[in-house]
Amino acid sequence: MLIQNFYYYLANQDELLRRYNGKHLIISDKKVIYASEDNEEALKKGMEMVGMGNFIMQLCTPGEEAYTAKCYTPGIRVTNASYQ
């Protein structure tokens, strides 16, 4: 499910930029559930709201620089899952 959340971000990047440019997004079940300018606050809220391993945190930025996901969950680590 984590990679589907990343693909959601990529598919909706333009719209999300209009609303959340520069913010750290917590994305779960293919929707933004929280946004913050502070990454630590966003991570804490994500863990409180849906629990570790059930969301991604994505910095909302323009361009292809945002096309790499780093996902961490207990027991599993997937890094640099690139969108092609």
Side-chain angles (χ1 to χ4, degrees), residues 43-78:
L43 180 60
K44 182 180 175 185
K45 278 295 201 182
M47 289 189 293
E48 289 174 2
M49 294 173 78
V50 293
M52 186 61 80
N54 297 307
F55 66 91
I56 66 166
M57 184 169 72
Q58 175 69 45
L59 179 59
C60 188
T61 56
E64 293 182 10
E65 293 81 28
Y67 285 17
T68 299
K70 292 185 179 177
C71 306
Y72 303 93
T73 190
I76 299 172
R77 181 177 176 182
V78 178

Side-chain angles (χ1 to χ4, degrees), residues 3 6-7 9-11 13-14 17 58-59 61-70 80-84:
I3 199 71
F6 180 60
Y7 289 149
Y9 170 77
L10 294 176
Q13 186 179 22
D14 290 339
L17 278 167
Q58 175 69 45
L59 179 59
T61 56
E64 293 182 10
E65 293 81 28
Y67 285 17
T68 299
K70 292 185 179 177
N80 296 330
S82 295
Y83 178 76
Q84 299 294 329

